[in-house]
Amino acid sequence: MTDAIVADRAGRQIRVGLDVGGTKIDAVAVSRSGDILARLRRPTGWGEDAVIVSILDAVDALSAEGGFDRSDVESVGVGIPGLVDADSGRVLHAVNLGVESLDLAGLVGRRLDTPVRVENDVKAAALGAAMLRGIDGSMAYLNLGTGVAAGIVVDGTIWRGSRGTAGEVGHLSVDPNGRLCGCGQRGCIETFCGGGALAKAWGRPGALPVRDILDAADAGDERAGELRSDLFHGAAAAVRALVLSADVERVIIGGGLTSLGDRLLTGVRAALGAEAAASPFMRSLHLDDRIELLPAGSPAAAFGAAIVGATIPSKEIVSHG
């Protein structure tokens, strides 16, 4: 750690952001000026009690890594999957964590004696991506992972819509005769470009099924070629839906499938271009130029969570009975 960072920390408080996933927590310590001072990853426990313990352990480990005391932490923001009531800090139906109903902000806030705010992980990532990329105005974050989800940020603020589902394009049906989705509909965008749906359709063992699909398609496998086309066209449909419904200036693609790198970005751009070939209106939107890939390993989700936490007044201690 440099002397400059030590001096910087001595004069300012720390904002902690935690991206809580099904297998790991990505944690960052952020200065008031927006600099990431420390970052680490730790395993996530299963079940409501274990999730709380994992979060507390991550804060302690981050403090040790960054060389600051827990008392230096002025706010904690948590991004977590599931249905999140951002006002109360309660998390519902986070099935990948074994959480059915959890007063996350209240329980963690009391243990840390620090204000805590909770946000849906994709919405937090959208905010973090906008801030890290320096995007003013409007943008959408399209998360391509096991599932498909999205969040919209306008002028540095998460846009939720009337019921908190603004931008959620994963369960928009684009083919009523398509594959059955876990939500009960057929042909949802997620059934085309969600990693879980593609792996199920591929039906072959492998650590990285979607990469295996692309490799097999490149080698001439017909079924893999069909699934590769589904991936690119499904992601392109998600981009179109986000731009046409909210007219966002940029769509940043994140999530686990970004490990595919340029293979993913090039394929989605090609699909957007091909589908716009017959439509002067779609060509005028230049969708293929309005997308970009979040760099692999980006701390956007944890950074966004830190920003969410920082919206709480510094003297407020969250306590929900």
Side-chain angles (χ1 to χ4, degrees), residues 54-73:
S54 298
I55 290 172
L56 297 172
D57 288 348
V59 174
D60 285 339
L62 189 66
S63 298
E65 175 75 16
F68 56 87
D69 295 329
R70 185 190 274 188
S71 60
D72 293 327
V73 177

Side-chain angles (χ1 to χ4, degrees), residues 38-83:
R39 183 185 184 189
L40 58 79
R41 296 184 180 185
R42 291 178 62 88
T44 306
W46 171 264
E48 295 175 2
D49 292 340
V51 167
I52 296 296
V53 171
S54 298
I55 290 172
L56 297 172
D57 288 348
V59 174
D60 285 339
L62 189 66
S63 298
E65 175 75 16
F68 56 87
D69 295 329
R70 185 190 274 188
S71 60
D72 293 327
V73 177
E74 69 171 346
S75 64
V76 174
V78 180
I80 191 168
L83 299 176

Side-chain angles (χ1 to χ4, degrees), residues 181-239:
C181 181
C183 75
Q185 300 183 101
R186 286 192 175 275
C188 290
I189 285 176
E190 184 171 300
T191 67
F192 286 88
C193 57
L198 287 168
K200 183 177 180 181
W202 181 234
R204 305 179 192 179
L208 298 168
V210 179
R211 179 166 292 166
D212 293 343
I213 290 170
L214 296 191
D215 290 343
D218 291 342
D221 184 290
E222 183 176 351
R223 178 56 175 158
E226 293 171 353
L227 293 176
R228 179 179 62 183
S229 179
D230 283 350
L231 166 61
F232 296 151
H233 287 288
V239 171

